Amino acid sequence: MCSQPPKEHHVDMFPYFEAAALLAPESATIGISGGEPTLFKAQLFAFLKSVLDKRPDLSFHILTNGQHFEEGDRPATAGLDQTRIVWGVPLYSHDPAIHDQVVGKPGAQKRLLENLAFLCRVGAAIELRTVLMQPNAPGLPQLARFITVMLPFIRTWAVMQTENIGYGRMNWKALFYDSSEGFEVVGRAVDFVRSRGVDARLYNFPLCTVPEAYRHLAPATISDWKRAYRAECEGCSLKAECGGFFEWHPREHGYSKLGAVQ
Ligand code: SF4
């Protein structure tokens, strides 16, 4: 379901990143969404070190598949102010077969767990991310249990709705999970981790698809430039707090229960 699949051509933008980051507004959080930034670890670590040293007000949120860390990265990561970096790392299932199938790489979950432990050892803040899909939705409560036992050191568990673009669009019928109908597994999983002291969040969920008791866990996470509302949203009392939809979310394959909340 990757929303940004590989392109045929790559232009290395690293020489421009530092100049751009140093021009960021005061106290900004800069998101690095990839491709996979740790394929360029030397450049990435040097860039982070330089910007974090020169701009003590800035922080970073970095999306990574968590496949490429190794013990030899310890000096470079130890040299970074980890209090100003959050690493967003995907884990799709407690079942290695499902996780590996989603990411298309045999052995990926095993490697990921080793590297999450590495990130923990270097004091990194981890936002574990699980995109909700038909293949992994039924196992969400088991994943919740797995997280509390194996990964209690994470900062946040984010359960995310799918984006209909890139591979997500190509595989939409097989992937999209209508959480407006089947919220029960999501609610049970979120309740479980929270009962064990792990923070949980719901990203990219239209608020009217989420039961009221869970809406405070669902911030408006869809970027403003790709956010859209529908005719049903007119007059909705939740619109100011609701992140709405990805602009390209298809009407015919979307949520079955949806509508303005008075
Ligand atoms: S009707 Fe629209 S604005 Fe209201 S909660 Fe649903 S998606 Fe959000």
Side-chain angles (χ1 to χ4, degrees):
M1 53 55 224
C2 180
S3 57
Q4 298 171 28
K7 297 190 172 89
E8 282 185 21
H9 304 287
H10 171 75
V11 181
D12 186 357
M13 301 291 281
F14 264 101
Y16 303 101
F17 289 167
E18 181 170 340
L22 293 177
L23 293 170
E26 196 177 339
S27 302
T29 298
I30 298 174
I32 300 181
S33 63
E36 174 49 50
T38 59
L39 289 174
F40 303 88
K41 276 191 298 189
Q43 294 102 312
L44 176 70
F45 292 147
F47 159 72
L48 291 171
K49 173 89 178 113
S50 181
V51 174
L52 289 169
D53 285 353
K54 289 175 183 160
R55 286 284 305 269
D57 59 313
L58 296 183
S59 52
F60 284 91
H61 182 275
I62 305 172
L63 296 181
T64 171
N65 60 21
Q67 293 295 296
H68 304 290
F69 294 107
E70 53 204 357
E71 200 54 39
D73 296 327
R74 186 180 277 271
T77 49
L80 302 174
D81 181 355
Q82 294 289 350
T83 64
R84 290 194 281 143
I85 304 174
V86 173
W87 300 88
V89 187
L91 174 63
Y92 296 109
S93 176
H94 72 290
D95 180 343
I98 294 177
H99 177 90
D100 292 357
Q101 194 238 340
V102 169
V103 302
K105 180 184 173 188
Q109 197 222 45
K110 180 174 183 295
R111 182 73 190 263
L112 174 61
L113 296 177
E114 290 164 3
N115 284 343
L116 286 170
F118 169 78
L119 286 171
C120 174
R121 289 197 297 278
V122 299
I126 299 166
E127 177 193 66
L128 202 67
R129 309 181 115 207
T130 303
V131 176
L132 186 63
M133 294 169 282
Q134 290 175 37
N136 67 351
L140 215 61
Q142 288 100 310
L143 176 57
R145 195 171 294 271
F146 182 85
I147 288 168
T148 60
V149 174
M150 302 295 286
L151 307 167
F153 50 81
I154 63 166
R155 175 181 286 194
T156 305
W157 182 34
V159 180
M160 304 175 62
Q161 257 298 359
T162 334
E163 184 172 353
N164 182 276
I165 200 88
Y167 289 151
R169 176 171 295 173
M170 288 162 58
N171 300 311
W172 191 249
K173 282 188 180 168
L175 293 183
F176 178 68
Y177 178 78
D178 184 358
S179 51
S180 72
E181 281 282 359
F183 192 85
E184 194 267 339
V185 282
V186 180
R188 202 145 43 93
V190 164
D191 287 346
F192 187 84
V193 297
R194 296 184 77 226
S195 75
R196 298 298 191 276
V198 175
D199 182 40
R201 288 285 180 271
L202 303 170
Y203 290 174
N204 309 338
F205 285 67
L207 283 183
C208 56
T209 68
V210 176
E212 197 172 346
Y214 296 89
R215 286 181 189 154
H216 67 290
L217 302 175
T221 42
I222 297 177
S223 311
D224 51 3
W225 63 271
K226 52 183 177 179
R227 182 187 303 173
Y229 297 93
R230 294 182 170 182
E232 296 97 312
C233 302
E234 282 312 309
C236 178
S237 62
L238 297 177
K239 196 170 176 184
E241 308 101 75
C242 176
F245 305 87
F246 290 104
E247 194 177 338
W248 31 81
H249 191 86
R251 179 167 290 275
E252 65 274 24
H253 298 302
Y255 304 96
S256 55
K257 290 183 182 164
L258 191 69
V261 178
Q262 301 305 322

